Amino acid sequence: MFPRKPTNLIVAALCFCIVFTSLSPVALAQKKTAPVEATPPPLNERFKFGEVDLEVLEQADLLDVRFERDGLVLADESANAYLRRVGQALLPRDLVLERVSWKFRALRDPQPNAFALPNGSIYVTTGLITLIDNESQLAAIIAHELTHVMRRHTYMHNRSTRKKFLTMNVMQAVGAASPLSLVGAVITVVTTVAPFIMMATIYGYSRDLEREADHKGIDMMISAEYSPEEMVNVLKVLDKDIEGENIRLFYNDHPALDERIKYLSSYLGARADKVTHQMELNRERAAYFRNMESVMRHNLQLAINAGRVRSAVYLAQRLVDFHDDSENLFWLAESYRMLGPRAPQLTEKELTNSAKKDAAKKREKRTAEEEERELLATPAGKDNWQRHQQLAEELYQRALKAENPAPVVHRGLGMLYEKLGRGSDAAAEYEKYLELSPSAVDRGRIQRRIEVLKEKLK
Amino acid sequence: MRSLVLKIFAPVVLLAVCGSQPVRAQFLHPKVKSKETTISRIVVLPAKVSVVRDSMKGPEGMAAESDELSARVEAMVAEVLSKKKHVTTLPNTAASAEADPQQKYNVADFQTKFDDLLPKIMKKRSDVKKGRFSMGDEVLNLNLEKGTDAIVFIRGEGKKLTGGKTAFRLLVGGTPAYLRLQIGVVDARNGEVLLYTDPILVGDPTTAVDRLRSALEKGFKKLPEVKAL
């Protein structure tokens, strides 16, 4: 009766405390070694709180509570402390902002994203933390978000949007009351077109704020002696589009990634005169991976749950390249097992905008099992399935031979054997898992599987 | 002039014809319909209902009211199922999960899984009758109380109109204040979607308590009643 309209998305985004999602690109690479010009902190000093702003602030505070209550905030103190350290390094010393209390937290979401609430809460998703390469890239993301808060972008955007909505509604009312005449027809045409123009200005304003956050973010990175080039590199990382989901829409609240890469590269051309050596970057990368390894593993589970299996393979491979211990090998094996009949990478054809739109529609219709069945009916799907199951088995075996093998490897092998129809092997692996991990949270599920398998084997 | 009259009166007439409490269809899994599976003990997961205030200056968030409404809907679903169908609601795992992050994550991830499945159900709700939708045996990771038959997921969205927007709607048209719920009942043993219903009520979602109860009663009408022992 009340179909979802595209405008509902806008509504949700605007109303709900005007969360500023901002896929922050960031790029890494080299620490600035040359002395840099001091840049004034990007504050909006003329901003004064009004009643409407206080309402937005209240919604933001409630949203923080909701994230925490709903188990969306990652309860990993060391990861959150690391984010806080990077965030504090970017903030100008002695900065006090009215009604802002800085919080830096990881959000349990496999989709790469980051956003800031106007009360000073900065969230970086586990998906983005896992995708980036080093601390400078993380700093670029956080600097972008800090700018949104310091420049009071959420409040400014909300104020601007409210005015535009009022104008649109008044125009619609005028259009509804227009007389049946030539003048009336003109009014009707104007009032019909006006909302589209208004929507374009709303998105246009949003894109301007994003551009400002990109530029000011680079200035903050330079001041904190992070490699500003990493802002560009992070955008390149995001532009990879492993899952084929970066769809260009008619209205976009962020400038396109390639456009951001262009204008930031040109901005940096004028500012970055020296870059650090690649070796320094490699050291930074290793330190970043050490700090975030547990978050990355956690994110792999989330990515697999969300069906983002191509991302899971890509990210797990990076983890194994960094450190091939039993647990990381297990995650790579899990990712290949779940990849099943899918190709590990999308083809160029599948990455065109229209193909991505079609794929998004299909994803809405088909369940993961239906997609697998469809792919298994094709020769390419069958080949992929065989190859990936074999790869998964090899990786599980490697994980078992590694130092301190993780008990979950047996569970993974059990699931693989069950799918391959090797019932008794599967039951044996499940039993080993429960023996080594008697208080596992999924004990009930695995016991049930053993019972079913044994029943079938009788 | 004629168009103005149409714009003002058409929605009013339409509303009068449809009644103030339209209820959409409900779909039962064949196992429930044939009574092979009985839903007598349930766990209701925390509802996620969000409402916005629609004003002339655009929509505004109502986070506190949304939380309050979520709790009310959750309690009312349990009450309606108990009174009308004699279904027992067991203690909620999420409520006892406060201290254990892993259990909290399990509940959060399972809620997300339902959110991912929901658009697929919405595309073809009638396929619930074919038993097409399942959330898998990960449902057992929730470690619910033994004897739990089903888990209830509640989602909802609604809109409250300000005075100005109500007047504007009469002049220009548009959707009235409403609350649309999407409720899925999932088998606690194997994750199959046993029932899907999406009751709607027209009216201020934050105050229309009786209408909410009535919409829920109609929403669960087809669910077989549990026979008293």
Side-chain angles (χ1 to χ4, degrees), chain B residues 123-195:
Chain B
K123 277 276 168 197
K124 212 161 180 208
R125 296 174 301 163
S126 58
D127 277 3
V128 172
K129 293 197 276 189
K130 295 180 190 164
R132 185 185 146 213
F133 304 109
S134 172
M135 295 179 70
D137 67 352
E138 284 152 62
V139 69
L140 294 167
N141 291 350
L142 289 177
N143 295 313
L144 301 172
E145 205 170 292
K146 273 193 179 170
T148 307
D149 297 315
I151 305 163
V152 181
F153 293 85
I154 305 166
R155 300 290 179 271
E157 58 167 16
K159 191 163 77 167
K160 177 185 173 136
L161 303 184
T162 60
K165 190 72 184 192
T166 308
F168 172 81
R169 196 180 74 80
L170 286 174
L171 182 67
V172 177
T175 52
Y178 72 93
L179 174 67
R180 180 177 68 172
L181 296 171
Q182 294 164 313
I183 303 174
V185 179
V186 170
D187 195 318
R189 289 165 288 253
N190 57 23
E192 282 181 319
V193 177
L194 299 176
L195 179 148

Side-chain angles (χ1 to χ4, degrees), chain A residues 309-357:
Chain A
V309 278
R310 289 188 180 95
S311 296
V313 168
Y314 172 79
L315 299 170
Q317 184 63 62
R318 273 163 42 110
L319 258 185
V320 167
D321 293 344
F322 163 69
H323 180 204
D324 60 348
D325 71 347
S326 177
E327 207 173 327
N328 290 347
L329 285 164
F330 161 75
W331 282 114
L332 185 56
E334 285 283 280
S335 305
Y336 271 113
R337 180 172 66 81
M338 297 308 288
L339 187 62
R342 297 166 194 87
Q345 278 162 356
L346 294 171
T347 60
E348 254 182 51
K349 199 179 161 193
E350 286 169 320
L351 284 169
T352 58
N353 208 41
S354 62
K356 285 194 272 190
K357 278 185 188 169

Side-chain angles (χ1 to χ4, degrees), chain A residues 393 409-434 446-447 449-454 456-457:
Chain A
E393 186 173 7
V409 181
H410 291 290
R411 185 191 68 191
L413 260 179
M415 288 184 175
L416 178 76
Y417 291 150
E418 190 178 348
K419 192 132 195 184
L420 293 170
R422 293 163 56 180
S424 59
D425 292 341
E429 293 296 339
Y430 285 148
E431 278 170 342
K432 263 185 220 161
Y433 167 60
L434 292 184
I446 299 303
Q447 263 174 337
R449 285 196 173 207
I450 295 171
E451 282 163 24
V452 173
L453 284 169
K454 288 192 171 167
K456 275 187 196 165
L457 289 170

Side-chain angles (χ1 to χ4, degrees), chain A residues 1-5 8 10-12 14-17 55 58-59 62-63 66 68-76 108 158 161-163 165-170 172-180 298 301-302 305-306 361-370 440-446 448-449, chain B residues 1-4 7 15 18 22 24 48-50 52-53 55-67 98 101-106 108-109 112-113 116-123 132-134 137-143 157 165 168 171-172 175-180 182 189 200-202:
Chain A
M1 185 167 175
F2 304 108
R4 280 168 196 247
K5 294 177 185 171
N8 284 0
I10 301 159
V11 166
L14 294 176
C15 275
F16 235 152
C17 329
E55 276 175 28
E58 192 193 334
Q59 298 295 314
L62 289 167
L63 201 59
R66 189 179 286 184
E68 188 86 47
R69 185 196 61 201
D70 291 351
L72 298 176
V73 176
L74 186 70
D76 180 333
R108 299 177 61 249
N158 183 45
T161 305
R162 285 169 65 85
K163 281 182 203 156
F165 260 96
L166 183 62
T167 313
M168 269 194 293
N169 283 332
V170 169
Q172 259 188 291
V174 170
S178 61
L180 287 172
H298 186 97
Q301 178 69 74
L302 295 176
N305 288 351
K361 276 184 201 161
K362 273 190 184 172
R363 269 199 300 274
E364 248 186 36
K365 279 184 196 164
R366 284 184 313 194
T367 62
E369 295 75 30
E370 287 163 350
V441 74
D442 55 356
R443 187 176 182 87
R445 178 188 182 201
I446 299 303
R448 176 86 190 120
R449 285 196 173 207
Chain B
M1 191 59 201
R2 198 181 56 175
S3 74
L4 180 65
K7 277 173 186 165
L15 255 187
C18 297
R24 305 230 295 204
K48 289 186 184 176
V49 182
S50 101
V52 293
R53 186 186 297 113
S55 77
M56 286 295 281
K57 290 180 179 174
E60 296 160 17
M62 296 177 79
E65 293 85 347
S66 297
D67 286 349
E98 291 303 316
Q102 190 52 53
Q103 187 62 11
K104 204 168 170 180
Y105 292 164
N106 279 345
D109 293 347
T112 306
K113 196 161 186 183
D116 291 342
L117 185 66
L118 198 52
K120 296 175 179 73
I121 297 177
M122 293 294 291
K123 277 276 168 197
R132 185 185 146 213
F133 304 109
S134 172
D137 67 352
E138 284 152 62
V139 69
L140 294 167
N141 291 350
L142 289 177
N143 295 313
E157 58 167 16
K165 190 72 184 192
F168 172 81
L171 182 67
V172 177
T175 52
Y178 72 93
L179 174 67
R180 180 177 68 172
Q182 294 164 313
R189 289 165 288 253
I200 290 180
L201 70 87
V202 175

